[in-house]
């Protein structure tokens, strides 16, 4: 098996091809990892969620990491790690255009809202939407891929 570094363009292409990543964040030295759905545009990834642990941690520590993987076999896989900076996009005039951009990019997937909108416990009915849109600015990207040795 041969493992090699992926180029920046290969990493960016893998980010654009996928819609699900694993988000790693930490608060007070305690790590937390959760899958998220995202949309990609330029140097940003957009997502949304209901309020909860992930958002509380990101508010406390806006630096996080995303992992995107493609696994065909033990000898054929790709892995991209993205260091990111979190920023919430509140429902205000200041962030209106960014929220619309996030919504329109996320809406390109048929059921984009389901992972972020569903919670494992019953939710009380509220008059205003508690959904939180946010973005991750890409700080650094790296990737590796493995392939079966030839020759």
């Amino acid at each position: 098996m041969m493992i090699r570094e992926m180029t920046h363009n290969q990493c960016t292409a893998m980010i654009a091809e996928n819609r699900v990543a694993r988000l790693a964040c930490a608060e007070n030295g305690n790590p937390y990892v959760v899958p998220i759905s995202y949309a990609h545009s330029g140097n940003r990834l957009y997502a949304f969620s209901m309020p909860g642990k992930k958002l509380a941690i990101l508010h406390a520590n806006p630096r996080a990491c995303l992992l995107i993987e493609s696994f065909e076999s033990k000898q054929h896989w790709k892995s991209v790690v993205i260091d990111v900076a979190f920023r919430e996009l509140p429902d205000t005039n200041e962030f209106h255009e960014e929220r619309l951009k996030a919504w329109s990019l996320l809406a390109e997937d048929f059921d984009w809202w389901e992972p972020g909108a569903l919670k494992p416990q019953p939710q009380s009915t509220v008059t205003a939407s508690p959904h939180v849109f946010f973005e991750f600015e890409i700080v650094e990207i790296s990737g590796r891929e493995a392939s079966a040795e030839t020759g």
Side-chain angles (χ1 to χ4, degrees):
M1 177 171 68
M2 185 164 80
I3 298 175
R4 69 173 193 81
E5 296 289 324
M6 295 170 62
T7 67
H8 180 83
N9 288 343
Q10 289 172 320
C11 291
T12 301
M14 189 163 166
I15 293 167
E17 291 167 5
N18 288 278
R19 300 291 267 183
V20 176
R22 287 173 181 80
L23 166 66
C25 49
E27 182 180 37
N28 299 323
N30 295 313
Y32 183 67
V33 178
V34 62
I36 63 163
S37 295
Y38 70 88
H40 172 247
S41 178
N43 197 39
R44 306 247 188 274
L45 295 147
Y46 296 95
F48 102 107
S49 178
M50 298 290 281
K53 184 174 183 174
K54 156 179 68 244
L55 289 173
I57 292 172
L58 289 168
H59 281 119
N61 179 8
R63 292 301 302 265
C65 188
L66 298 170
L67 171 68
I68 300 169
E69 296 176 292
S70 169
F71 184 83
E72 293 180 28
S73 72
K74 289 193 305 187
Q75 294 185 338
H76 191 94
W77 51 263
K78 294 179 185 180
S79 175
V80 173
V81 175
I82 313 158
D83 293 328
V84 297
F86 164 82
R87 181 173 76 151
E88 185 174 331
L89 303 173
D91 193 6
T92 64
N93 286 338
E94 178 184 355
F95 292 98
H96 182 73
E97 292 301 317
E98 284 287 325
R99 283 176 63 89
L100 285 178
K101 181 177 183 177
W103 181 86
S104 65
L105 289 169
L106 289 163
E108 290 176 7
D109 269 359
F110 170 68
D111 55 0
W112 65 274
W113 53 270
E114 283 184 346
L118 300 176
K119 285 290 205 181
Q121 67 273 0
Q123 297 292 306
S124 60
T125 305
V126 294
T127 56
S129 172
H131 301 118
V132 177
F133 284 87
F134 55 94
E135 69 180 14
F136 291 116
E137 178 183 5
I138 297 172
V139 176
E140 188 175 340
I141 303 172
S142 62
R144 292 187 176 171
E145 68 179 333
S147 58
E149 276 189 67
T150 58

